[in-house]
Amino acid sequence: MTEKSVAIIIIRNSKGQYFLNKRLSTKKIFPSLYALGAGGKIDPGETPENAAKRELFEETKIQEPIRYLGEFLYSDSSVTQRVYSYAVVTEQEISNYDREWEWSGWVNEDQVLELLDSKSICPDTEVAFSLLISATTNKSLTLKQSF
C-alpha cells in the first residue's frame, strides 16, 4: 500500500464549538464518518502548510492563520497516510461543501466526545483532535484505539 500525505485542519470558534462535517457515503476513505474541519491530500511539490491553507480555503473559504499541531502516521487495512494536523479559530459562517460533505455545522465539545465514543469520527481526525486537546489544555485525551 502506498503512503500518501494529507493535511487536516480542525476548525473552532470563540464559543468553543467545533465545525463538524459528515463525509459523503461515496468517499473511498472513511465514508459516512464525521470529520472536524477541512482537509485533503497534499499535492506533489506542495508543503503541508500550503496544502492545509489550500484545502481550508477550497472547502470553507476561510483565509485565516493556521496553527501547526503535529504530524503522525495513520495506517489501517484501507489506507496508510502521513497526517499533518493544524487548527484555526474563526467566526466566519461556513456553507456546506456538497462535493465532499453530506452535512456540516457547529457542535460543542460534548457532542464531539460522544461521536468519538461511538467511533463515528474518522480515526485520523480522532488523533488530530487529541493533538489539539494536548496543545490547548496540556492534557492528554485517552484514545480507545491504538494507531
Side-chain angles (χ1 to χ4, degrees), residues 2 6 24 29 54 69 134 138 143:
T2 304
V6 298
L24 293 173
I29 305 297
R54 176 183 51 76
L69 299 174
S134 294
N138 294 322
L143 299 177

Side-chain angles (χ1 to χ4, degrees), residues 3 11 23 34 39 44 54 77 83 94 128 130:
E3 179 183 317
I11 303 170
R23 293 169 57 85
Y34 290 93
R54 176 183 51 76
S77 61
V83 181
I94 304 171
S130 74

Side-chain angles (χ1 to χ4, degrees), residues 9 49 53 56 62-68 87-90:
I9 311 91
E49 182 176 358
K53 290 175 180 178
L56 183 63
I62 294 172
Q63 288 185 293
E64 297 188 31
I66 59 175
R67 177 179 172 203
Y68 178 72
V88 65
V89 176
T90 186

